[in-house]
Amino acid sequence: MPDDVPALDLLALLPEPWREALTPHLDPARTAALADFVAGEYATATVFPPLADLFSAYRLCGPAETRVLILGQDPYHKAGQAHGLSFSVRDGVAVPPSLRNVFKELGEDLGVPKPRSGNLDGWAAQGVLLLNSVLTVRQATPGSHANRGWEEFTDATIRALDGLDQRVVFLLWGGYARKKAALVTNPRHVVLEAGHPSPMNPRGFLGSRPFSAANKALADAGLPTVDWERSAG
């Protein structure tokens, strides 16, 4: 990292409960190297989401409140889309194709009317952790921040959730996310796998009924279900 780039302490930016939960699963040297890389990218390139939104998923949904995890790959790479929650976009932003399919499946699964907004804050507020495996990306360059350390950071998040005493339902969509099933070893949790909702993947997601299945898994454990109709906060 250039000398004139301000240092970035990723753990200090996390809410305290997540900092405590993740620290035992992180290598300090790898986390420091990731922080240096991310600081340099924000200082020298256009990076999404904005730094203020980097840990939005963690701020909106603490570890003790997490009931469902929906794992994406990396943030949207076009201006104005990414705001720190996987698959979500801010109010007023056109709903991206993958999220359109998520909403289509939601309607077919639970009869939920098509949401007017792609903002999923309302899911996060109910304990749905909307996590990307890689938390930053350069503008117009998908995958540009892969293999720089974010994967270890977000794997630590999954391991921390795996250690919880109450059930968490892991919704893993697509080949990349499904590889993370190996991190879930606690038998009290439930992993629901499906294809990716991208329109380029015509099979495997539509018809998978993940929302009703997640709610059944929560109810079976005596936990409140998610009101999936309440997407926007």
Side-chain angles (χ1 to χ4, degrees):
M1 183 175 66
D3 292 339
D4 58 346
V5 173
L8 184 65
D9 186 338
L10 293 175
L11 292 178
L13 295 177
L14 276 175
E16 179 63 26
W18 278 114
R19 186 160 60 248
E20 292 180 0
L22 265 60
T23 297
H25 302 283
L26 291 170
D27 175 79
R30 288 284 294 166
T31 304
L34 170 64
D36 286 348
F37 167 74
V38 171
E41 287 290 284
Y42 273 111
T44 59
T46 300
V47 172
F48 301 128
L51 183 58
D53 293 328
L54 176 60
F55 289 141
S56 290
Y58 295 90
R59 285 200 307 273
L60 292 171
C61 184
E65 291 73 47
T66 300
R67 289 181 284 151
V68 177
L69 174 127
I70 298 178
L71 186 68
Q73 190 160 349
D74 63 353
Y76 296 121
H77 58 86
K78 295 181 181 179
Q81 291 184 313
H83 67 125
L85 305 179
S86 62
F87 294 100
S88 180
V89 292
R90 293 190 184 279
D91 292 332
V93 176
V95 176
S98 291
L99 185 54
R100 285 203 298 271
N101 271 349
V102 170
F103 287 161
K104 180 179 180 181
E105 178 63 16
L106 181 59
E108 295 180 357
D109 187 3
L110 295 176
V112 172
K114 181 181 177 182
R116 290 174 292 182
S117 170
N119 187 337
L120 303 180
D121 280 2
W123 290 0
Q126 297 181 73
V128 180
L129 184 66
L130 294 157
L131 185 70
N132 282 313
S133 183
V134 175
L135 296 185
T136 54
V137 67
R138 277 196 179 200
Q139 183 176 23
T141 316
S144 51
H145 288 182
N147 302 313
R148 301 305 299 251
W150 276 129
E151 292 87 351
E152 290 92 336
F153 193 94
T154 52
D155 282 0
T157 305
I158 297 173
R159 290 190 172 97
L161 294 175
D162 185 52
L164 293 178
D165 290 333
Q166 77 172 25
R167 171 166 289 177
V168 177
V169 181
F170 295 82
L171 296 182
L172 305 180
W173 298 337
Y176 183 88
R178 293 170 84 164
K179 293 177 183 178
K180 304 298 183 179
L183 301 175
V184 183
T185 61
N186 190 328
R188 67 170 47 88
H189 303 312
V190 172
V191 176
L192 299 173
E193 301 183 34
H196 195 277
S198 167
M200 299 180 69
N201 176 34
R203 297 181 181 178
F205 178 74
L206 295 176
S208 64
R209 304 298 187 260
F211 307 102
S212 58
N215 275 352
K216 181 181 185 302
L218 292 171
D220 287 347
L223 295 171
T225 57
V226 176
D227 179 2
W228 295 105
E229 188 168 352
R230 185 161 67 87
S231 55

